[in-house]
Amino acid sequence: MKPFSFALPIRLCAYGMLISLPFAVGGVNFFGYLVLLMAILSREWWQAVPQLLRHPLSLMALIMLVIVGLGTVHSLGPHREALNVLNRYHKLLFIPLLMPFFQEEKDRILGLNVLSGALLINVLLSWTEYLRLTHISDPIYVAGMPSPGDAVFRQHITQGLLFCLLVVIASALGWQARGKKRFLYWGMALLAAGNVAFVMVGRTGKAMLPVIALWLLGEWLFTRNKKAVGPERVVFNSHPHPRQRARFQEHWVLILIMGIVLGSTLWSLMTPSTMLGTIVQEVRQSHQTGADTSQGERVEFWHKGVLLFLKHPWVGSGTGSVLTLTQELAKNETTQVNRVATSNLHDEYLMWAVQFGVPGLLAIVAFFIFYLRGGCQPGLSGQVLRGVGILFSFGCLYNSFLVDFTEGYSIVLLGGLLISL
């Protein structure tokens, strides 16, 4: 009689985490603890340990946890905050925990469809708010002003990231699907993209849309180049082959579309009346008057982060030290924006550099490099990883996605789900 296998229950609990991700922190934690317990008791996981220790992304996730753990020993911040940050990064464990149980394409496709369905519900709810069919917007965004009609999450940063994530996943599913299914997936992608572009008031998602557009253009070019490989590419006369002429024209079309995407993004940033344009206006206002604005705070956090990194560049200031050290920098300042302290620098790379020095910065950069390497896989998994990896590595320049709950779990769950051993 064979010993009991935990593979199916672990996959079901992972799907539970994906369903809970846009709805309930408690659900993610509940199913996550079940995954952790069953994986430790699973013979399949222990059999995969040698492979996990040789896999770059899995190994890097474990190394990062060791770095965070060691950082609690010499932290310049309070011990309680150090343990809190360690707890926030423990989600990295789910990359090596899930990888052995999601090596079959059918299990990965089911996971992507589960997450897409959960995210689609939130997109539809946001649209119903915008159309005034429902009234569920979080009060934090509607007090004292007309409802923006889109806030189905407490944080617009979270909402923007998750809706953009649906654009990427649904686009990849539509790209790989056949028949009527592709129209369903592309419709989901358009609903989410349209919501971020025209409905949402948050700026995180809007800043990611041009990146997604460029990723889609890159995927199109990559697909066309693969199809173009053949004997027709070699010619021995002065007249170009029709396929060569077509590829030449496609390259010019690609350059034109890229120019339009980048140009429209730049125009939006420079136009005060647009949502992205308010970024420049707020930064300028804080710089000139010292007023406390959202984007002015973010720039001030980056400035403080660079100062702290330069103060302890080699070993960092330790896990959970950011709030204490930014408070020390802020107490002697005179303007509103400069007197703001934070525990979140809104830049994941800077968070690791400040807390763990050069080793931490190298670790987080290596993590995203190995994550993006997963995009070399063939088929749907590789395509989703390329889009998701680009989205997260870019977004972490102006948000601390890995330390944040929902955003961080999105990163690790998709990594554990899609990356092959």
Side-chain angles (χ1 to χ4, degrees):
M1 181 177 178
K2 291 184 178 180
F4 182 73
S5 170
F6 285 96
L8 179 59
I10 288 174
R11 282 195 288 269
L12 292 176
C13 286
Y15 297 145
M17 294 179 75
L18 292 169
I19 291 174
S20 303
L21 196 61
F23 294 107
V25 170
V28 176
N29 286 330
F30 173 75
F31 289 113
Y33 288 131
L34 289 178
V35 168
L36 177 61
L37 177 63
M38 289 189 290
I40 291 174
L41 297 175
S42 169
R43 73 175 190 277
E44 293 96 339
W45 188 79
W46 287 105
Q47 289 170 352
V49 165
Q51 289 177 281
L52 292 170
L53 293 178
R54 291 193 298 267
H55 192 280
L57 183 66
S58 172
L59 183 59
M60 183 52 61
L62 295 174
I63 289 172
M64 290 168 72
L65 276 174
V66 171
I67 290 174
V68 179
L70 292 175
T72 63
V73 178
H74 73 92
S75 177
L76 299 179
H79 189 61
R80 179 185 298 178
E81 183 64 15
L83 293 178
N84 177 48
V85 173
L86 176 61
N87 181 57
R88 283 172 172 265
Y89 281 119
H90 88 277
K91 62 176 77 79
L92 285 163
L93 280 172
F94 285 94
I95 291 178
L97 283 175
L98 292 178
M99 284 173 66
F101 305 100
F102 285 94
Q103 296 301 301
E104 297 289 334
E105 190 72 5
K106 60 181 178 61
D107 298 324
R108 295 173 174 177
I109 293 174
L110 179 56
L112 291 173
N113 278 289
V114 165
L115 179 58
S116 297
L119 295 177
L120 179 63
I121 291 172
N122 284 274
V123 171
L124 293 175
L125 285 173
S126 180
W127 275 107
T128 61
E129 279 289 282
Y130 179 69
L131 298 172
R132 300 298 189 268
L133 300 175
T134 58
H135 302 282
I136 58 172
S137 288
D138 195 297
I140 193 173
Y141 293 110
V142 301
M145 62 179 182
S147 170
D150 78 304
V152 295
F153 290 94
R154 183 166 290 275
Q155 291 290 336
H156 273 126
I157 293 175
T158 302
Q159 185 167 328
L161 180 278
L162 290 182
F163 285 14
C164 285
L165 200 59
L166 178 58
V167 177
V168 170
I169 295 173
S171 297
L173 287 167
W175 206 300
Q176 301 288 335
R178 295 291 180 269
K180 295 181 180 179
K181 279 187 177 181
R182 65 169 56 188
F183 298 106
L184 172 64
Y185 289 126
W186 283 112
M188 291 166 59
L190 289 173
L191 270 176
N195 188 281
V196 173
F198 304 111
V199 177
M200 280 192 62
V201 299
R203 289 168 288 205
T204 291
K206 296 182 190 299
M208 289 181 171
L209 285 181
V211 177
I212 295 174
L214 293 176
W215 164 69
L216 286 170
L217 285 172
E219 290 294 323
W220 174 76
L221 182 62
F222 176 73
T223 303
R224 297 293 294 179
N225 283 341
K226 283 182 65 176
K227 290 180 179 179
V229 174
E232 294 89 348
R233 296 182 66 184
V234 181
V235 294
F236 300 97
N237 56 60
S238 59
H239 300 287
H241 191 276
R243 178 171 289 182
Q244 288 181 315
R245 288 197 299 270
R247 290 187 63 211
F248 179 76
Q249 293 170 354
E250 287 171 0
H251 287 164
W252 276 109
V253 170
L254 179 65
I255 292 171
L256 177 62
I257 295 175
M258 287 179 64
I260 292 172
V261 171
L262 295 174
S264 59
T265 304
L266 182 62
W267 171 84
S268 182
L269 281 169
M270 295 296 104
T271 305
S273 60
T274 66
M275 189 58 67
L276 286 182
T278 60
I279 295 175
V280 176
Q281 299 303 309
E282 288 185 9
V283 172
R284 185 176 298 165
Q285 182 183 357
S286 293
H287 177 72
Q288 293 175 349
T289 68
D292 184 7
T293 65
S294 174
Q295 299 307 310
E297 277 189 5
R298 194 171 298 232
V299 173
E300 180 61 22
F301 294 160
W302 296 342
H303 176 244
K304 285 184 170 69
V306 171
L307 292 177
L308 294 175
F309 170 66
L310 294 176
K311 194 173 182 179
H312 303 281
W314 300 114
V315 295
S317 54
T319 306
S321 59
V322 173
L323 178 59
T324 299
L325 296 182
T326 55
Q327 285 174 337
E328 291 179 3
L329 289 176
K331 65 183 179 182
N332 296 321
E333 296 290 347
T334 56
T335 64
Q336 270 188 312
V337 70
N338 291 340
R339 291 183 64 84
V340 177
T342 184
S343 61
N344 185 345
L345 297 172
H346 289 279
D347 184 315
E348 193 69 58
Y349 305 100
L350 199 52
M351 288 284 288
W352 280 77
V354 168
Q355 295 178 100
F356 314 114
V358 172
L361 180 59
L362 293 176
I364 187 67
V365 170
F367 174 82
F368 281 116
I369 289 174
F370 295 142
Y371 203 103
L372 286 164
R373 276 185 59 186
C376 297
Q377 297 171 200
L380 175 64
S381 296
Q383 189 171 26
V384 174
L385 283 168
R386 287 193 293 273
V388 169
I390 290 170
L391 197 68
F392 284 134
S393 56
F394 172 77
C396 281
L397 289 169
Y398 55 94
N399 280 298
S400 302
F401 280 155
L402 193 56
V403 76
D404 291 334
F405 185 89
T406 305
E407 296 89 326
Y409 267 104
S410 301
I411 298 173
V412 299
L413 290 179
L414 286 170
L417 194 77
L418 299 174
I419 291 184
S420 299
L421 280 171

